[in-house]
Amino acid sequence: MNFLAHIFLSGDTEEVMIGNFIGDAIKGNNYNSYSENIKKGILLHRKIDSFTDTHPLVIKSIKRLRTNYGKYAGIVIDIFYDHFLSVNWSVFSQTERKIFINNTYQTIVSYNYILPDKVKRFLPYMIQNNWLESYIEISSIKNVLNGMTRHTSLPNKTDFAMQILKNNYELFEIEFNAFFSEIIEYAKKELLNT
């Protein structure tokens, strides 16, 4: 669910961004049916997920939620981290956030013909409700978590998550900023090496 971070880490090639955006919807080696750059984006998505899931700072963030979320704690952290990317956008990008988001939506829509059906189903709702923009608001985090508990297997522990975020906001932000600086460099190297 951390769409904003994945899109941000895709570099400047549209097809790589599309691949990174649809990465969760492409299973196994089904990426082989896509163009080289979309394939590159799908594989980048997997590498970003692997780097994130094993990073000590992310693990530290996850531990705060593990008691009530178990194996799903990382999903909540993904959402928290998209919030912190939004809040700290100017630290990581020279492009205005709203411009970046509008350009992203336009690009995704222009590639609608190759999006997996799963993505095509949620994309209109994503754009209509401006998910990428909404992560900046804490109330939107709560709405996203509530929606996920209704439509996925995420445990219904939203109030717990929001309390943990409130009580540890500065710690989460510090961990995110340090981690994100590292993953930016990691993603740049992966884009050059593939």
Side-chain angles (χ1 to χ4, degrees):
M1 291 299 296
N2 55 337
F3 293 121
L4 187 60
H6 274 286
I7 293 164
F8 181 86
L9 294 169
S10 297
D12 296 327
T13 305
E14 285 185 356
E15 286 194 345
V16 171
M17 186 269 283
I18 294 298
N20 202 347
F21 173 68
I22 65 173
D24 280 331
I26 308 299
K27 304 301 179 196
N29 65 357
N30 290 338
Y31 62 86
N32 284 319
S33 63
Y34 290 93
S35 71
E36 285 304 311
N37 277 330
I38 291 177
K39 197 182 312 185
K40 186 176 184 178
I42 293 166
L43 295 174
L44 177 64
H45 182 104
R46 293 175 183 181
K47 290 175 183 177
I48 288 169
D49 281 354
S50 179
F51 182 89
T52 301
D53 292 345
T54 59
H55 195 284
L57 288 169
V58 177
I59 292 169
K60 194 173 180 180
S61 289
I62 288 171
K63 282 183 181 177
R64 292 189 194 97
L65 297 167
R66 182 81 66 196
T67 54
N68 281 356
Y69 277 101
K71 66 181 181 180
Y72 299 100
I75 294 168
V76 179
I77 292 302
D78 283 349
I79 294 164
F80 285 5
Y81 277 17
D82 264 3
H83 165 73
F84 288 113
L85 175 55
S86 292
V87 168
N88 295 286
W89 186 265
S90 63
V91 172
F92 300 108
S93 179
Q94 294 178 352
T95 303
E96 186 182 328
R97 188 172 50 84
K98 288 184 179 192
I99 292 171
F100 177 88
I101 289 168
N102 287 335
N103 290 342
T104 296
Y105 288 142
Q106 288 174 6
T107 301
I108 294 169
V109 168
S110 73
Y111 282 87
N112 189 61
Y113 65 98
I114 58 99
L115 299 178
D117 289 341
K118 177 181 178 180
V119 176
K120 285 180 182 177
R121 282 192 296 274
F122 74 72
L123 184 61
Y125 182 77
M126 178 185 187
I127 294 171
Q128 179 183 356
N129 292 287
N130 203 359
W131 288 0
L132 299 179
E133 178 67 31
S134 71
Y135 285 124
I136 198 163
E137 301 294 333
I138 290 179
S139 60
S140 292
I141 296 171
K142 185 174 184 175
N143 293 339
V144 168
L145 292 175
N146 282 330
M148 289 181 70
T149 62
R150 286 190 302 273
H151 302 291
T152 70
S153 54
L154 186 73
N156 188 2
K157 306 288 184 180
T158 300
D159 290 340
F160 166 79
M162 298 312 295
Q163 191 61 49
I164 294 296
L165 177 61
K166 180 181 175 185
N167 293 347
N168 299 278
Y169 191 90
E170 292 80 16
L171 287 173
F172 280 125
E173 187 169 26
I174 289 166
E175 290 161 4
F176 166 78
N177 283 328
F179 161 73
F180 207 68
S181 294
E182 290 181 34
I183 201 165
I184 287 171
E185 293 308 311
Y186 173 80
K188 285 179 184 175
K189 286 178 188 169
E190 288 299 322
L191 284 168
L192 289 174
N193 293 330
T194 55

